[in-house]
Amino acid sequence: LFFVQDALRWIAVYGKTSHVDIVNMSLGGRLPWGDTQTLINEILCQNIIIVASTGNNQADENKVDSNYISYPAGYPDVIAIGSLGLDINEMCDYNIKSDFSECGENIDFCCPGHHIVAAKANTVNETISFSGTSMASSYACGIIALVLRYLKNHNIHNIDNRKMCFFLSKMTQKVNVLQDNDLILQNTFNTKVGFGKLDVDLTLFDSKNKLQQCFDNIPLDWKIEHVRP
């Protein structure tokens, strides 16, 4: 964790001048730690987007911990990503929450994170399959990178984490949660999957004015988050 905080300190100082747009933290711990929140706030003040995975221990957590996602995803204004993907009849269904994906307060969205094919280290063209919310948060960063590029190309700037999260909440699909062997559709914001499956809704990109209005009209009481007591 020292090295993670050291990297955050560097980004807090040099991130903007080094053209850092997104920070992805595919890691997590049960409780807030060190001065991480202070460093995160310093980075957020530069309008650098921060994304983090919610954690993979939902099935093993006690009753209290099961109500909270891991940190740093749990810090206010960090975009917290859970995992989708569950094996049903020898097929992976990416419209169902992964059983390992941690849920609870401050979760925002879910993305595919089960059986994700990636390049295998130290090989030329071999691949390997991974599962975890780390894969899901990386997926989310890809979507956010596309959104940021489009906004920059249309001279829309000063998009902070809260504005980005609000905009992304308009680009979600309903997903299911397996509960007592029954699939339950989560069609509103909830602590299981947040706003739902993050996707790209091209209708939101019809005009620059439409985009700008979305960023300028965030309700003051929209998704207020708190650090775990």
Side-chain angles (χ1 to χ4, degrees):
L1 297 182
F2 169 82
F3 294 107
V4 173
Q5 289 188 320
D6 205 33
L8 293 176
R9 290 187 185 94
W10 185 92
I11 296 169
V13 176
Y14 299 109
K16 205 62 180 179
T17 56
S18 299
H19 307 293
V20 174
D21 291 319
I22 307 172
V23 173
N24 176 45
M25 289 186 281
S26 293
L27 53 97
R30 187 173 67 89
L31 297 171
W33 38 277
D35 59 350
T36 305
Q37 185 175 12
T38 300
L39 294 170
I40 285 175
N41 289 338
E42 291 175 1
I43 295 171
L44 292 176
C45 286
Q46 303 177 60
N47 292 337
I48 296 174
I49 305 300
I50 299 183
V51 181
S53 53
T54 62
N56 305 322
N57 298 314
Q58 186 66 25
D60 301 321
E61 290 183 324
N62 60 44
K63 187 174 182 180
V64 174
D65 290 340
S66 65
N67 293 320
Y68 298 93
I69 59 175
S70 293
Y71 287 84
Y75 289 117
D77 292 329
V78 170
I79 299 177
I81 306 296
S83 172
L84 294 173
L86 193 67
D87 294 326
I88 302 290
N89 297 325
E90 299 184 354
M91 296 282 291
C92 184
D93 191 332
Y94 290 109
N95 293 307
I96 306 176
K97 173 190 170 295
S98 302
D99 52 3
F100 58 78
S101 182
E102 291 185 29
C103 50
E105 299 293 332
N106 295 359
I107 190 173
D108 291 302
F109 309 100
C110 286
C111 291
H114 190 44
H115 296 325
I116 302 301
V117 177
K120 187 176 182 180
N122 302 317
T123 67
V124 176
N125 56 11
E126 293 183 41
T127 59
I128 190 170
S129 176
F130 289 110
S131 295
T133 54
S134 294
M135 286 75 246
S137 63
S138 301
Y139 186 105
C141 285
I143 292 178
I144 294 171
L146 292 173
V147 172
L148 286 175
R149 173 53 57 191
Y150 185 91
L151 297 177
K152 288 182 179 180
N153 288 343
H154 290 77
N155 295 314
I156 299 177
H157 303 287
N158 299 319
I159 304 301
D160 58 22
N161 254 45
R162 187 168 176 79
K163 289 181 179 180
M164 177 60 72
C165 193
F166 179 75
F167 180 72
L168 294 176
S169 71
K170 308 299 182 183
M171 298 199 303
T172 56
Q173 297 180 5
K174 300 175 183 179
V175 295
N176 294 291
V177 173
L178 186 63
Q179 186 171 312
D180 297 328
N181 295 321
D182 293 322
L183 287 178
I184 300 175
L185 183 66
Q186 305 289 325
N187 57 2
T188 58
F189 177 84
N190 60 85
T191 57
K192 298 290 186 182
V193 294
F195 291 100
K197 181 180 181 180
L198 191 56
D199 205 349
V200 177
D201 184 354
L202 296 179
T203 62
L204 294 173
F205 299 87
D206 288 344
S207 70
K208 179 180 176 179
N209 289 337
K210 188 175 181 180
L211 277 173
Q212 193 66 62
Q213 288 176 4
C214 183
F215 291 119
D216 292 342
N217 294 290
I218 304 177
L220 293 177
D221 59 349
W222 181 79
K223 203 174 189 294
I224 303 301
E225 299 183 345
H226 304 279
V227 176
R228 176 177 179 175

